[in-house]
Amino acid sequence: MSFSAAIITLFPELFPGTLGASVLGRGLAEGLWSLQVTQLRDFATDRHRTVDDTPSGGGAGMVLKPDILARAIDTVSPLGDARPRILMSPRGTTLTQARARELALGPGAVIICGRFEGIDQRVIDTRGLEEISIGDYVLAGGEVAAMVLLEAVVRLIPGVLGKAESHADESFENGLLEYPQYTRPQSFEGVDIPGVLTSGDHGRIASWRQEQSQALTAARRPDLLKK
Ligand code: SAH
C-alpha cells in the first residue's frame, strides 16, 4: 500500500505542479505514491455553484461554507479512512522535518486548501482537521502550501529518492544544518575545495563535516541547538 495523497481545492489545475517534476514525478508515475485532486466546487448545490459566503459578524472577504466543504471531505475521506486530514493554514503548527517524516511513514494525507479569508471553524472542529502552516506569512491560498508539504513528505517515501542514506546528513535530520558541499573542478576562480575533503580520510572528513554543521547551526540557528 503506497502513500495516498488527496487534495481538496478550488484550483485543481494547479496540481501536480512541482510534484510532477523530477524524482517526485517519477515516483508518481511508478506508483510509489498517488495523488487525487478534487474540485471543491463540484460539491456546491445551487445553480451558481457557490462555495463561499460573507463572514458572520462582518468584516472583509469571504469564508468557505461548512456544508459544501464537509460534503467534499466526507466523500474524499469516508469514515474509516486512516489518513490524517490536514488544513493548510497560517494559524497551524509550523511544518517540520519531523512531521514530514511521520507523514511519509503513514498511509497518506487528505489536504484541504483554503482560499479567501479561510474556512468555517465548525468544519475544522467536526472533521478533526490538523492545521499546518508553512511559515509566518500569509499566502493567497493553500495550494502552494499543500505542494510544499507534499514535496517535503514524498521525497522521504522509501524508494522515491535514490539511496536512503541521502537523507541522514540533511539539514534538520539530526537537529543541525548541513555542512558546506563542494564538487569538481578542484579549483574554482582560484578557490580550492577544502583539502580534508579530497584527503580520502573518512574519519577526518566526518569530523570536519560535524564541526562545520555545529558552527553553522550555532551562527544561524542557535534555536536548533537548544532543542
Ligand atoms: N484570513 C486568514 C488567511 C487566509 S489566506 C488568516 O488571517 O489566518 C487563504 C488561505 O491560504 C488559507 O485558508 C490557507 O489555506 C492558505 N494559507 C495562507 N497562508 C498560509 C500559510 N502560511 N501556511 C499554510 N497555508 C496558508
Side-chain angles (χ1 to χ4, degrees):
M1 207 191 56
S2 63
F3 184 94
S4 150
I7 308 271
I8 298 174
T9 170
L10 286 171
F11 298 94
E13 66 275 13
L14 296 176
F15 292 90
T18 61
L19 304 170
S22 188
V23 284
L24 304 195
R26 207 173 309 138
L28 186 58
E30 287 172 0
L32 292 174
W33 68 288
S34 68
L35 180 66
Q36 177 202 5
V37 185
T38 298
Q39 168 59 275
L40 175 60
R41 207 172 286 284
D42 290 346
F43 294 85
T45 46
D46 66 329
R47 148 176 112 71
H48 301 291
R49 306 226 294 158
T50 308
V51 293
D52 56 344
D53 207 337
T54 54
S56 304
M62 300 295 273
V63 175
L64 291 175
K65 288 162 63 60
D67 47 342
I68 312 296
L69 184 54
R71 202 173 313 122
I73 293 171
D74 295 345
T75 303
V76 169
S77 177
L79 219 66
D81 185 350
R83 295 175 296 178
R85 296 162 165 183
I86 295 168
L87 171 66
M88 302 319 302
S89 160
R91 301 190 318 191
T93 309
T94 308
L95 179 63
T96 59
Q97 187 69 9
R99 186 70 185 115
R101 188 167 281 290
E102 276 171 12
L103 287 168
L105 295 175
V110 177
I111 304 175
I112 295 128
C113 303
R115 276 275 157 180
F116 319 123
E117 288 313 311
I119 81 172
D120 188 300
Q121 183 63 38
R122 292 168 293 180
V123 185
I124 301 177
D125 298 337
T126 60
R127 297 309 188 269
L129 304 187
E130 171 189 355
E131 294 183 69
I132 295 185
S133 167
I134 62 159
D136 290 347
Y137 38 80
V138 179
L139 305 168
E143 287 77 12
V144 168
M147 280 180 216
V148 168
L149 171 69
L150 281 178
E151 190 156 322
V153 170
V154 169
R155 64 193 290 283
L156 297 174
I157 295 170
V160 169
L161 231 62
K163 288 184 299 178
E165 303 89 89
S166 42
H167 299 305
D169 276 1
E170 276 183 335
S171 295
F172 310 114
E173 285 291 354
N174 52 8
L176 296 174
L177 302 179
E178 196 183 56
Y179 47 79
Q181 298 275 18
Y182 297 86
T183 188
R184 285 176 289 255
Q186 166 61 32
S187 175
F188 167 68
E189 297 185 349
V191 185
D192 280 347
I193 296 172
V196 55
L197 295 180
T198 49
S199 69
D201 182 338
H202 297 296
R204 269 182 67 217
I205 293 172
S207 43
W208 181 85
R209 285 178 164 169
Q210 180 67 21
E211 286 158 23
Q212 294 284 322
S213 273
Q214 289 280 359
L216 210 62
T217 310
R220 295 187 184 175
R221 293 293 305 278
D223 58 300
L224 292 179
L225 291 179
K226 276 192 220 108
K227 280 187 199 157

